[in-house]
Amino acid sequence: MKTTSSEETEQHSGVLSETDVRAIVRLLADVAAFQGDHATRKRMLMGGLSRLVRADGWLWTMTRVDFPTNTPISIGLLHGGLTDEQVAGWIEAGQASSPPSPDSVPLTEILRDGRHFTRTRQQVVPDDDWYSSPNVKRNRLRLGIDHFLYSIYPLDEPGVISAIGLFREVGRDPFDERESRIAHILLSEIDWLHRAEMPTHKGEGVPQLTRRQRTVMIMMLEGRTTKQISKLLHISEYTVKDHAKAIYKHFRVSSQVELIGRFRCGDGGDIPGGNRERELQSNHDEY
């Protein structure tokens, strides 16, 4: 169906139609009424939002920003519509120091205001800076990812945020003002979901890890095995195991199960010793 000139004007001006508003309200109501766990509700919300703004994929992280270095440190990660390689590229882009991702400093500066904000990539990083960045070429464009829509929701402690990124593949048009407004309005109305499953320690101690250790840790928290991490990061399994041992020592845990528990519920003491725990343990005894 071809859009009329008035509809095209509304899309580019950021004006929402009655159809847009109804879709936002319907999605919020469906998520609020759903009886699943928080992770499932987040996936449900992001699947619906991705359809509304025509995104190809999304990431939702609980993140602690190390202000001295402007480095985002994920302490919880969900995603959809992305390959393992694309997720690994996103993790490495944020942790790389030479050169850093060109969006790190601008996003951190906006974050200092302490307000929820939503921005298109073009509002954060000009095209020239984006497409000339070696970091972007290596960790985004090479993997088929280009345009971003960022929505950053500050939580109680400075630098601790609920960060959402929506993505489009290389070759597609950028997100427009209307799509940015849809995302911002919808994500403004779910304070309870932004705060869900935040670890009690809010990522304290994570900045003291090396950049590579943080990258490995994020993947371990996703439940990935030594072999998977080795393949995605192009490092040996022995190196992965060495990083894992350093991470365990730092957080005073002895297994991947305990590490995941530490980040999901403090010290992991309230995780029942049922089938799920045994399954995780059997999958990750290799560490």
Side-chain angles (χ1 to χ4, degrees):
M1 178 177 175
K2 185 177 181 179
T3 58
T4 65
S5 59
S6 63
E7 288 174 329
E8 290 174 346
T9 300
E10 286 187 354
Q11 287 179 355
H12 292 291
S13 67
V15 176
L16 301 191
S17 67
E18 180 180 344
T19 301
D20 292 329
V21 174
R22 288 181 180 274
I24 291 171
V25 172
R26 187 181 304 114
L27 180 55
L28 287 171
D30 288 346
V31 172
F34 186 70
Q35 297 300 308
D37 60 25
H38 288 122
T40 304
R41 284 180 164 186
K42 287 181 177 181
R43 292 184 181 281
M44 180 180 181
L45 179 78
M46 293 308 300
L49 176 56
S50 293
R51 290 189 290 273
L52 289 179
V53 302
R54 302 179 299 122
D56 294 316
W58 58 270
L59 283 151
W60 187 334
T61 76
M62 290 289 190
T63 297
R64 187 182 189 96
V65 178
D66 182 34
F67 281 123
T69 62
N70 296 314
T71 301
I73 302 167
S74 175
I75 53 179
L77 173 65
L78 289 174
H79 54 85
L82 300 174
T83 66
D84 288 346
E85 290 74 17
Q86 288 169 336
V87 174
W90 174 83
I91 295 171
E92 293 216 80
Q95 299 305 311
S97 59
S98 180
S101 181
D103 51 9
S104 295
V105 173
L107 287 173
T108 302
E109 290 305 313
I110 303 172
L111 174 62
R112 290 180 189 276
D113 289 340
R115 295 181 297 169
H116 176 209
F117 67 88
T118 303
R119 299 284 190 276
T120 64
R121 193 273 297 159
Q122 284 77 6
Q123 292 172 324
V124 176
V125 182
D127 280 351
D128 288 347
D129 293 344
W130 184 255
Y131 292 114
S132 65
S133 165
N135 187 314
V136 171
K137 291 177 181 178
R138 180 176 65 252
N139 295 310
R140 316 290 202 195
L141 303 177
R142 179 180 64 85
L143 300 172
I145 294 296
D146 190 354
H147 299 296
F148 281 61
L149 186 60
Y150 312 89
S151 195
I152 311 298
Y153 193 93
L155 299 175
D156 298 327
E157 186 175 326
V160 179
I161 59 176
S162 173
I164 291 168
L166 293 139
F167 307 93
R168 281 185 180 160
E169 295 175 351
V170 170
R172 293 195 60 197
D173 291 336
F175 292 98
D176 59 32
E177 292 182 26
R178 167 185 160 272
E179 291 160 339
S180 179
R181 181 156 295 173
I182 288 174
H184 187 79
I185 291 173
L186 197 152
L187 296 171
S188 294
E189 298 300 322
I190 54 163
D191 180 80
W192 59 278
L193 201 51
H194 284 293
R195 300 176 186 280
E197 298 184 344
M198 168 62 75
T200 53
H201 55 78
K202 297 183 175 64
E204 294 172 5
V206 177
Q208 285 71 48
L209 298 175
T210 67
R211 292 178 181 273
R212 181 56 88 186
Q213 287 169 355
R214 293 197 295 256
T215 301
V216 170
M217 187 194 76
I218 293 168
M219 293 186 173
M220 291 177 67
L221 292 176
E222 279 198 279
R224 297 187 187 276
T225 66
T226 297
K227 290 181 179 179
Q228 291 170 333
I229 297 173
S230 170
K231 181 178 179 181
L232 289 170
L233 297 183
H234 306 289
I235 58 180
S236 72
E237 293 183 30
Y238 294 106
T239 301
V240 175
K241 290 181 178 181
D242 284 343
H243 287 314
K245 290 176 182 177
I247 293 165
Y248 294 157
K249 182 178 180 180
H250 183 72
F251 288 106
R252 298 181 182 178
V253 298
S254 58
S255 69
Q256 187 171 8
V257 173
E258 287 187 46
L259 182 70
I260 292 172
R262 175 75 175 269
F263 277 81
R264 287 183 180 171
C265 50
D267 62 2
D270 57 340
I271 297 178
N275 293 333
R276 176 59 178 157
E277 183 170 345
R278 286 195 294 271
E279 177 186 346
L280 279 171
Q281 187 66 63
S282 65
N283 286 343
H284 300 289
D285 280 341
E286 59 182 298
Y287 286 105

